[in-house]
Amino acid sequence: MSSTAAAPEHQTVHTSVSARASRVRWFIAIACAVGLAINYIDRSAISVALPFMTEDFALSPAQQGLILSAFSWSYALMQIPAGRLIDRFGERLMFGASVLVWSLFTGLTAVASSFGVLMGLRLGLGVGEAGAYPSSAKTVSRWFPPRERARATSVYDSGARIGSAIATPVIATIIAVWGWRAVFVIAFVFGVLWTAGWWALYRHPEALRRVNDAELAVINEDRAVPTGAKEKPMALRQLLRYRTVWAMMLGFFCVNFMVTFFLTWFPSYLVNERGFDLLKLGIFGSIPPIAAIVGSWIGGLTGDYLLARGWSVTRVRKTCLVTGMLLCAVISLAAVAPEAWQALALMSVSYAAAAFTIVTIWCLPSDVAPTGTVASLGGTQNFFSNIGSALSPIVIGALYGATGSFQAPLVLAGGVAVAGALIFGLMLRRVEPLVKTPVTA
């Protein structure tokens, strides 16, 4: 892809193409997916490596919990600033900058020498990664019409699931061959390469010669303001007036509390609770993340299919959200599963349901906010959701340390998922533009 040197040339290209729409928008969604795959490999790397890093650092369970949690605290705190910056400076600049910053902190983890340094690097990783999902949501809102956004969201979100799935076997292999420090060096290199590609190739739809008039017409379907127009984002205090926004934040808090188990304590659960060695961890530990990839795809297909069948946006989104959250709750049953394969099966269903739900959650900012506010709203909901991510490893670590078992943490995670289903079912009344439904009305 290359940008157009002059507006007249771009116009000539558009008028010379056939009526069949080009499909550049799907390559853009795939580029976002690759960025999020790197995102999740980098944030998951320490989770897979941590059982083996403790030999060098002599970390207690409480210290491990703090290290796993540190990322989420800075990640959550930077969500709102990241969203505002993305809406102001654009997803091209800010997505690339985000990947570059987190890749730097990932690479520096290879030379960490103490618990304090690890904590600082994890905090830095969270700052960098804060822009990834809001940038992807902004990109999809700019490139896709409402009828395609669930599928487009599932494409980029599946990148995160793919990253989670390949992280365990790939990182376990690297550790076995070169040691845990090599993991972070390799992750750094891939992040820098993606950043260079994104900055070189990404532009807005109207600035790419490969986007023909027919595709631009698709992109601008049902859009009050053309994709190239500049819009002033809504203020944070204005967003927080809406019941819809609070439902988005609280519901996302619940799903992130549950799903963060898979990104933090899951490898330790398999090693310590189920007796897996490094080989088994690498093979079987990737099953739930693979199931999550499928869950993400199903979420996108289901949402767009139901819209095409004539369901209202409210009915589609609420059905997917409540159903997904209730299925997430089966993680509690893994606590009493007598066999490891049974626990893995239940966790696979739970993780797939979480991915199914998250696709719908990330459709909501585009559903209810103007284009100029999508990243700000995405960052706002992601801020609150990642408080759940930050609390999850600490609470789970404390319960595990107190009981010596993962049974209580798994039951708690399932209970939080049920609470999320209630929030989406009862608190999220309608999915419609925010200007129509202020809380104070």
Side-chain angles (χ1 to χ4, degrees):
M1 292 185 289
S2 60
S3 60
T4 303
E9 180 184 358
H10 183 62
Q11 183 64 35
T12 300
V13 173
H14 280 307
T15 56
S16 65
V17 296
S18 67
R20 185 174 183 178
S22 51
R23 300 181 63 82
V24 177
R25 63 195 184 280
W26 294 104
F27 289 100
I28 296 296
I30 291 170
C32 291
V34 175
L36 285 174
I38 296 171
N39 177 292
Y40 267 68
I41 290 171
D42 288 8
R43 75 168 69 178
S44 301
I46 201 166
S47 302
V48 180
L50 194 57
F52 311 97
M53 294 172 68
T54 53
E55 298 176 5
D56 293 337
F57 293 94
L59 301 172
S60 68
Q63 288 177 316
Q64 293 177 54
L66 287 171
I67 288 172
L68 293 172
S69 173
F71 159 84
S72 293
W73 286 111
S74 57
Y75 183 75
L77 290 172
M78 285 302 297
Q79 284 298 310
I80 294 175
R84 306 300 286 186
L85 289 170
I86 293 161
D87 279 330
R88 180 174 180 181
F89 296 108
E91 62 276 15
R92 177 177 178 266
L93 174 63
M94 295 309 302
F95 202 170
S98 179
V99 178
L100 190 61
V101 169
W102 90 56
S103 297
L104 177 62
F105 282 103
T106 299
L108 289 173
T109 305
V111 296
S113 58
S114 67
F115 166 74
V117 172
L118 281 175
M119 282 287 292
L121 292 172
R122 290 292 289 178
L123 289 168
L125 179 71
V127 171
E129 292 204 358
Y133 261 95
S135 291
S136 297
K138 178 81 168 185
T139 301
V140 164
S141 74
R142 190 181 298 280
W143 277 86
F144 289 86
R147 64 181 174 86
E148 293 182 339
R149 283 178 186 161
R151 279 174 290 166
T153 301
S154 73
V155 169
Y156 78 69
D157 183 69
S158 67
R161 312 308 149 202
I162 291 170
S164 296
I166 66 175
T168 300
V170 170
I171 292 171
T173 301
I174 293 172
I175 292 172
V177 176
W178 293 299
W180 65 264
R181 295 183 190 273
V183 170
F184 301 98
V185 175
I186 294 170
F188 165 76
V189 172
F190 276 99
V192 171
L193 291 175
W194 185 92
T195 300
W198 179 258
W199 279 341
L201 302 177
Y202 181 81
R203 300 293 186 275
H204 291 173
E206 65 280 356
L208 284 174
R209 281 188 276 186
R210 294 189 182 184
V211 179
N212 63 18
D213 278 336
E215 184 171 20
L216 275 179
V218 171
I219 291 169
N220 285 309
E221 283 176 8
D222 301 321
R223 194 184 297 268
V225 180
T227 182
K230 295 286 287 185
E231 296 180 73
K232 184 179 179 180
M234 297 169 65
L236 176 60
R237 65 180 180 275
Q238 189 176 3
L239 289 174
L240 295 179
R241 291 174 56 220
Y242 294 93
R243 179 191 183 102
T244 296
V245 173
W246 283 99
M248 291 164 63
M249 292 191 300
L250 292 170
F252 205 177
F253 172 99
C254 294
V255 71
N256 261 21
F257 184 96
M258 190 281 295
V259 82
T260 299
F261 168 80
F262 292 98
L263 306 176
T264 54
W265 283 103
F266 180 59
S268 296
Y269 165 80
L270 294 181
V271 172
N272 299 332
E273 188 98 342
R274 297 294 180 174
F276 282 27
D277 57 21
L278 184 59
L279 178 61
K280 286 184 176 180
L281 176 63
I283 296 173
F284 296 107
S286 63
I287 294 176
I290 290 173
I293 297 171
V294 178
S296 183
W297 291 340
I298 293 173
L301 291 171
T302 301
D304 286 350
Y305 172 77
L306 294 176
L307 282 175
R309 291 292 300 271
W311 285 33
S312 70
V313 174
T314 297
R315 186 182 178 192
V316 171
R317 302 303 188 224
K318 290 190 66 171
T319 298
C320 291
L321 289 168
V322 174
T323 302
M325 291 302 295
L326 290 176
L327 284 174
C328 286
V330 303
I331 193 173
S332 292
L333 300 178
V336 295
E339 301 292 337
W341 70 267
Q342 295 169 334
L344 273 175
L346 290 165
M347 289 184 170
S348 297
V349 171
S350 181
Y351 204 176
F356 178 96
T357 307
I358 289 170
V359 166
T360 303
I361 289 173
W362 277 107
C363 288
L364 294 176
S366 296
D367 288 335
V368 304
T371 302
T373 306
V374 169
S376 295
L377 180 54
T380 300
Q381 74 166 7
N382 216 23
F383 159 72
F384 207 82
S385 73
N386 278 281
I387 296 176
S389 295
L391 290 174
S392 177
I394 295 176
V395 173
I396 288 175
L399 286 174
Y400 174 59
T403 64
S405 168
F406 280 96
Q407 287 187 346
L410 293 178
V411 171
L412 175 62
V416 172
V418 172
L422 293 173
I423 290 168
F424 284 129
L426 302 176
M427 190 174 182
L428 182 64
R429 290 178 177 172
R430 295 191 60 82
V431 179
E432 60 186 7
L434 294 179
V435 292
K436 294 182 179 180
T437 55
V439 169
T440 55

